[in-house]
């Protein structure tokens, strides 16, 4: 009974949202003239700017080097094998044909670099969100130049994260499958557990039943596990000659029955389009397959708003150049400047309506617009003390009530608060309670959340500031960011002896780098400070798209392929 009432309430809510969108052209947000943040770089901070700039430039160099490494995929020989012998397009060329433009949001491009089992460029699979006929879609595209597109543990993690983003933001998924299945030497880390290989297929079914469209293109081999992605998709396109789907390939057939069979005969596009019915569209070549896919996307029942252009025209650029963010990206905690300086370089017209400006000043909260989208901003401006956390808790709930997305700018203190006196113990207990309250508010807020780590991501403060465990829709790092329990050089209260401290500091130095984090997929990617506004604008557009899907109301739909 309770469930029925809840469903009815949910439906009423979704109807009202839809009602809003269908008449949105005639409506407009109340006019706002938030105060302008006057935050020029001051000569008095020159040494901080210079230090940060030097560090940003070194980080940028690493960023470019890794980008180049990733661009090469599996290396020259593998690229030649892929394009010349196998006659297939490279994954980025495929995306060029599939997407409207190259202005897509690539997710975790550095995932897979620097892992104990080696460097796996792009984790063997590109993921991201791009527009197809104007509609934002998640894409998951194997790079077969990386060990035949086989799935390493990090590949599975990357695919699952892309699917999670699709679920959270209700984005259609397009899979470009070209994979030899599991990377067998690491099978124990891919196969058995809940969030491993099988979860990809589970998610596909669940998303489909939630009316989040699932479309796939077979543009290479789909062996073993890879075979389920197209078979379970709602609609599948398969490319003649280069696409194959089978659980065991010709060598397995030969070993089992002695029979010699070609991949094409065993599981080519003709067989699956004409005999098995595993796929729905036969494409004579790759280009045709992406044309089909684009047409499939235009059959999804979305009605996109026409007012986007108008909204864009009204956008105000910040008063300060985004390049100045490079001097504000702290090389370490002591080099952090007032977070309002960062805000003023990110938000429309540098306008910011601050909330509780005089209370709990180590946290800045307030409203702003980013590329026309209203957001509630929560930015660290020192340690997250008792009053600051109370204020954070209040503000997060306020945004939740008003249905305004939250943007966290995270730069947490480097070490845990010490307890050296009774007064301090009392202060710490109060802080603990306030942190708990803010964490609850963040965890329970049902509005979209985006987190950008602009400096430190350490300890419990990072949870309250919507760290990875608190499920932000997107989480990005600046290249200077540091991610660790405590920051390097701040572990003295945790370990007694010098040699152990030296070892720990060395490990912290290495393991807290933004690139170490991104290699392991603890985030959705490292973004450059000067690109942050653009990335955030895109994320907010993407998050909003679900409002425009028609026909979400039916109960779970039935299985499509039998
Ligand atoms: N596990 C581990 N390594 C694999 C692999 C797998 N499942 N499949 C391919 N590789 C490796 C190859 O050993 C080769 O490594 P190398 O570059 O170091 O020599 C590389 O991936 C590319 O494979 P190759 O066969 O040379 O390329 P190809 O383009 O001719 O064929 C495949 C690619 C995927 C079609 C083919 O390798 C294949 O059929 N693999 C077996 C698939 C399979 O049976 N998977 C079962 C998983 S449960």
């Amino acid at each position: 009974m309770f469930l029925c009432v809840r469903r009815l309430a949910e439906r009423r809510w979704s109807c009202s949202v839809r009602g809003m969108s269908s008449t949105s052209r005639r409506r407009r947000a109340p006019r706002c003239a938030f105060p302008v943040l006057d935050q020029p770089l001051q000569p008095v901070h020159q040494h901080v700017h210079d230090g940060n700039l030097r560090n940003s430039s070194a980080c940028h160099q690493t960023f470019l080097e890794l980008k180049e490494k990733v661009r090469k995929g599996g290396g020259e020989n593998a690229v030649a094998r892929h394009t010349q012998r196998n006659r297939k397009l490279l994954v980025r060329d495929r995306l060029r044909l599939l997407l409207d433009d190259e202005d897509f949001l690539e997710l975790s491009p550095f995932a897979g670099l620097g892992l104990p089992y080696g460097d796996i460029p792009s984790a063997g699979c590109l993921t991201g969100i791009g527009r197809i006929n104007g509609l934002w879609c998640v894409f998951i595209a194997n790079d077969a130049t990386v060990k035949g597109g086989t799935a390493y543990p990090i590949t599975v993690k990357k695919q699952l994260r892309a699917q999670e983003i699709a679920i959270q933001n209700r984005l259609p998924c397009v899979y470009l499958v070209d994979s030899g299945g599991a990377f067998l030497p690491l099978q124990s880390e891919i196969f058995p557990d809940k969030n491993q290989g099988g979860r990809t297929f589970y998610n596909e079914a669940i998303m489909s039943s939630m009316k989040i469209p699932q479309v796939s293109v077979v543009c290479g081999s789909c062996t073993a596990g890879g075979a389920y992605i197209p078979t379970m998709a709602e609609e599948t396109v398969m490319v003649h000659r280069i696409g194959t789907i089978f659980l065991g390939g010709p060598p397995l057939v030969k070993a089992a029955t002695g029979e010699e069979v070609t991949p094409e005969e065993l599981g080519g596009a003709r067989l699956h389009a004409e005999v098995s019915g595993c796929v729905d569209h036969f494409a004579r070549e790759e280009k045709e397959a992406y044309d089909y896919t684009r047409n499939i996307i235009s059959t999804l029942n979305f009605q996109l708003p026409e007012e986007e252009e108008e909204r864009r025209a009204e956008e105000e650029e910040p008063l300060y150049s985004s390049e100045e963010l490079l001097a504000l990206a702290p090389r370490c905690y002591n080099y952090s400047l007032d977070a309002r300086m960062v805000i003023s370089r990110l938000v429309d017209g540098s306008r910011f309506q601050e909330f509780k400006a005089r209370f709990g000043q180590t946290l800045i909260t307030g409203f702003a617009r980013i590329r026309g989208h209203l957001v509630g901003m929560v930015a660290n401006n020192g340690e997250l003390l008792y009053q600051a956390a109370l204020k954070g808790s209040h503000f997060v709930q306020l945004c939740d009530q008003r249905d305004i997305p939250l943007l966290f700018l995270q730069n947490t203190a480097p070490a845990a608060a010490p307890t050296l006196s009774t007064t301090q113990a009392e202060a710490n207990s109060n802080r603990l309670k306030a942190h708990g309250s803010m964490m609850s508010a963040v965890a329970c807020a049902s509005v979209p959340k985006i987190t950008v780590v602009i400096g430190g991501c350490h300890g419990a403060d990072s949870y309250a500031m919507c760290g990875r465990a608190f499920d932000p829709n997107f989480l990005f790092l600046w290249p200077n960011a540091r991610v660790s329990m405590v920051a390097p050089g701040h572990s003295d209260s945790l370990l007694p002896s010098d040699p152990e401290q030296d070892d720990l500091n060395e490990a912290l130095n290495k393991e807290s780098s933004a690139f170490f984090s991104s290699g392991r997929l603890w985030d959705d990617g490292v973004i450059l400070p000067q690109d942050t506004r653009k990335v955030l604008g895109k994320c907010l557009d993407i998050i909003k798209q679900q409002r425009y899907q028609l026909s979400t109301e039916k109960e779970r739909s039935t299985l499509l392929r039998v």
Side-chain angles (χ1 to χ4, degrees):
M1 175 63 191
F2 170 71
L3 223 86
C4 289
V5 172
R6 204 177 130 176
R7 273 199 201 125
L8 264 176
E10 276 170 2
R11 256 188 222 169
R12 214 167 291 137
W13 164 239
S14 67
C15 285
S16 71
V17 169
R18 183 151 335 121
M20 266 166 53
S21 67
S22 62
T23 52
S24 56
R25 255 183 301 157
R26 277 175 281 122
R27 296 182 181 206
R28 55 179 306 133
R31 284 188 195 286
C32 80
F34 296 158
V36 168
L37 281 174
D38 187 18
Q39 295 286 335
L41 293 172
Q42 300 287 358
V44 65
H45 295 131
Q46 194 63 45
H47 74 288
V48 177
H49 302 162
D50 293 350
N52 286 343
L53 260 183
R54 271 195 303 276
N55 184 56
S56 285
S57 149
C59 291
H60 192 220
Q61 193 51 39
T62 313
F63 181 92
L64 293 179
E65 282 163 19
L66 296 184
K67 207 170 156 190
E68 183 55 17
K69 199 174 208 174
V70 163
R71 197 190 56 78
K72 291 182 178 155
E76 248 173 64
N77 291 343
V79 168
R81 185 179 57 214
H82 183 87
T83 52
Q84 288 161 29
R85 197 193 72 191
N86 295 347
R87 296 180 180 282
K88 294 189 284 190
L89 293 179
L90 292 172
V91 63
R92 288 188 188 273
D93 293 330
R94 289 174 167 167
L95 292 175
R96 259 177 223 117
L97 292 173
L98 174 72
L99 305 174
D100 291 354
D101 49 45
E102 291 185 39
D103 191 24
F104 57 82
L105 178 67
E106 187 171 346
L107 297 166
S108 299
F110 300 151
L113 296 183
L115 298 184
Y117 46 84
D119 277 336
I120 318 298
S122 298
C125 164
L126 266 68
T127 63
I129 307 167
R131 266 177 298 224
I132 302 179
N133 297 327
L135 195 70
W136 290 107
C137 300
V138 163
F139 61 81
I140 299 180
N142 298 117
D143 181 354
T145 69
V146 181
K147 287 276 180 199
T150 50
Y152 287 74
I154 195 73
T155 319
V156 174
K157 193 171 178 190
K158 192 169 175 184
Q159 290 175 345
L160 293 180
R161 174 61 188 154
Q163 287 186 322
E164 188 178 35
I165 287 177
I167 295 175
Q168 211 171 11
N169 301 292
R170 292 194 64 86
L171 297 168
C173 289
V174 179
Y175 304 84
L176 305 189
V177 199
D178 186 354
S179 164
F183 181 74
L184 287 170
L186 294 176
Q187 64 80 29
S188 68
E189 293 172 55
I190 300 163
F191 172 65
D193 211 350
K194 178 176 165 182
N195 281 323
Q196 292 184 345
R199 195 73 182 179
T200 323
F201 316 129
Y202 172 86
N203 284 343
E204 214 182 330
I206 295 296
M207 276 194 272
S208 198
S209 75
M210 289 168 71
K211 306 198 97 183
I212 298 173
Q214 306 291 302
V215 176
S216 81
V217 182
V218 181
C219 46
S221 65
C222 296
T223 311
Y228 290 99
I229 297 272
T231 315
M232 292 175 70
E234 291 159 20
E235 223 170 317
T236 293
V237 184
M238 189 163 178
V239 189
H240 188 36
R241 291 202 180 91
I242 61 170
T244 51
I245 303 178
F246 32 65
L247 292 176
L252 213 67
V253 175
K254 171 100 169 115
T257 65
E259 213 180 329
E260 302 244 357
V261 61
T262 65
E264 188 69 13
E265 288 163 341
L266 187 64
R270 237 189 204 127
L271 178 110
H272 285 303
E274 295 169 8
V275 183
S276 77
C278 269
V279 306
D280 313 294
H281 305 275
F282 174 93
R284 280 161 300 186
E285 38 113 23
E286 283 210 61
K287 160 113 186 25
E288 191 175 65
Y290 305 116
D291 288 344
Y292 270 128
T293 313
R294 291 177 56 79
N295 286 341
I296 292 171
I297 295 299
S298 58
T299 67
L300 305 180
N301 215 351
F302 278 78
Q303 201 165 57
L304 299 175
E306 287 164 19
E307 91 277 20
E308 288 300 289
E309 293 303 316
E310 251 172 63
R311 186 171 59 79
R312 291 260 179 274
E314 282 175 10
E315 247 174 61
E316 271 182 287
E317 285 299 310
L319 297 186
Y320 307 96
S321 160
S322 59
E323 295 291 321
E324 291 182 8
L325 289 167
L326 295 168
L328 296 171
R331 57 179 282 239
C332 62
Y333 193 66
N334 301 343
Y335 277 65
S336 309
L337 292 172
D338 193 321
R340 291 176 192 85
M341 295 181 85
V342 174
I343 295 174
S344 63
R345 282 150 184 86
L346 289 178
V347 304
D348 293 3
S350 301
R351 293 176 183 279
F352 186 56
Q353 167 74 12
E354 195 163 345
F355 174 79
K356 270 190 155 82
R358 290 165 178 259
F359 182 82
Q361 295 184 18
T362 55
L363 188 75
I364 295 176
T365 53
F367 299 98
R369 287 188 182 271
I370 294 187
R371 307 201 78 175
H373 299 278
L374 182 63
V375 289
M377 304 198 61
V378 183
N380 288 117
N381 204 29
E383 281 186 65
L384 192 61
L385 302 174
Y386 171 67
Q387 288 189 333
L390 284 186
K391 163 166 138 179
S393 183
H394 181 170
F395 184 70
V396 166
Q397 292 176 73
L398 189 68
C399 290
D400 192 28
Q401 196 177 41
R402 294 181 188 172
D403 228 347
I404 297 171
L406 283 159
L407 171 60
F408 294 85
L409 297 181
Q410 194 180 119
N411 179 21
T412 58
T419 309
L420 302 174
S421 65
T422 324
T423 333
Q424 217 164 35
E426 197 181 326
N428 285 351
S429 304
N430 284 336
R431 195 199 293 203
L432 175 67
K433 281 190 283 182
H435 277 186
S437 150
M438 184 169 166
M439 281 189 213
S440 298
V442 172
C444 297
S446 59
V447 288
K449 295 158 219 159
I450 304 175
T451 303
V452 183
V453 182
I454 62 169
C457 167
H458 307 294
D461 289 15
S462 75
Y463 301 142
M465 288 298 290
C466 204
R468 189 63 142 181
F470 278 65
D471 242 354
N473 296 51
F474 295 99
L475 185 148
F476 300 105
L477 305 180
W478 280 2
N480 56 296
R482 290 264 167 202
V483 182
S484 55
M485 200 88 139
V486 287
H490 289 83
S491 59
D492 39 343
S493 58
L494 303 176
L495 282 179
S497 68
D498 279 348
E500 278 179 59
Q501 281 219 24
D502 289 347
D503 289 350
L504 181 62
N505 271 324
E506 204 181 308
L508 285 173
N509 252 323
K510 180 172 156 241
E511 294 172 5
S512 62
S513 128
F515 301 109
F516 185 93
S517 166
S518 223
R520 282 150 184 78
L521 247 158
W522 299 338
D523 51 75
D524 296 316
V526 175
I527 58 169
L528 297 174
Q530 61 272 40
D531 293 342
T532 308
R533 177 175 156 78
K534 199 169 148 208
V535 171
L536 291 173
K538 228 177 253 175
C539 291
L540 291 161
D541 276 348
I542 290 167
I543 285 170
K544 200 173 167 191
Q545 177 174 278
Q546 56 186 297
R547 293 190 188 181
Y548 311 123
Q549 184 175 13
L550 305 177
S551 136
T552 51
E553 273 173 44
K554 274 189 207 155
E555 295 299 319
R556 288 185 160 213
S557 48
T558 48
L559 278 181
L560 293 158
R561 232 177 256 283
V562 278

